[in-house]
C-alpha cells in the first residue's frame, strides 16, 4: 500500500540535516489523495534531499500511482503566526 510505504520514508527524511519538518497528509474527501509537505532550512539542503535515496523512493511511489502526481515546490520568504492575525484584527478596531 502506497500510504504505508510513504510513511516509512518520513522518519529518515525528518532526521536529515536541514529538515525542519516533513509530514504526509491524506485528504478526507479523497482518500487516494496524499500530500507530502516538507520544510527545509535552505534550498541547498532541499536539493541534496531531492538527490537522496529517500527521495528516489518517493518518486517511485508517485510513478506507481494510478493518477498523475501534482508537484508544487513553494518557496516562502516570510512566515507569520498568530501575531499577524492579532495585528490585523486590532487594525479593524482603530
Amino acid at each position: 500500500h502506497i500510504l504505508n510505504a510513504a510513511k516509512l520514508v518520513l522518519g529518515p527524511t525528518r532526521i536529515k540535516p536541514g529538515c525542519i519538518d516533513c509530514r504526509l497528509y491524506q485528504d478526507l474527501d479523497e482518500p487516494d489523495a496524499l500530500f507530502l509537505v516538507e520544510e527545509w532550512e535552505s534550498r541547498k539542503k532541499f536539493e541534496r534531499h531531492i538527490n537522496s535515496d529517500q527521495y528516489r523512493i518517493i518518486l517511485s511511489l508517485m510513478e506507481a500511482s494510478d493518477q498523475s502526481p501534482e508537484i508544487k515546490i513553494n518557496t516562502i520568504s516570510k512566515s507569520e503566526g498568530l501575531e499577524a492575525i492579532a495585528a490585523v484584527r486590532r487594525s479593524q478596531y482603530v
Side-chain angles (χ1 to χ4, degrees):
H1 190 264
I2 288 181
L3 184 59
N4 291 331
K7 286 179 184 179
L8 293 175
V9 175
L10 295 179
T13 300
R14 286 180 179 137
I15 61 172
K16 281 187 159 194
C19 181
I20 296 171
D21 197 11
C22 178
R23 296 186 183 270
L24 182 68
Y25 298 95
Q26 184 175 27
D27 190 312
L28 293 176
D29 294 328
E30 296 182 43
D32 290 338
L34 302 175
F35 303 93
L36 177 63
V37 178
E38 297 181 14
E39 185 178 357
W40 291 86
E41 289 177 359
S42 69
R43 178 70 181 211
K44 184 178 180 179
K45 291 180 181 180
F46 170 66
E47 289 173 0
R48 190 175 301 138
H49 170 60
I50 287 176
N51 288 311
S52 71
D53 290 336
Q54 282 88 17
Y55 207 79
R56 282 189 207 104
I57 293 169
I58 292 168
L59 292 174
S60 296
L61 292 171
M62 286 190 282
E63 288 174 2
S65 174
D66 293 338
Q67 300 174 352
S68 296
E70 181 180 330
I71 299 172
K72 293 182 183 178
I73 298 174
N74 298 317
T75 303
I76 301 171
S77 61
K78 184 177 181 181
S79 181
E80 298 180 90
L82 187 56
E83 68 280 355
I85 295 170
V88 170
R89 292 183 55 84
R90 275 194 306 273
S91 69
Q92 290 179 348
Y93 301 108
V94 176

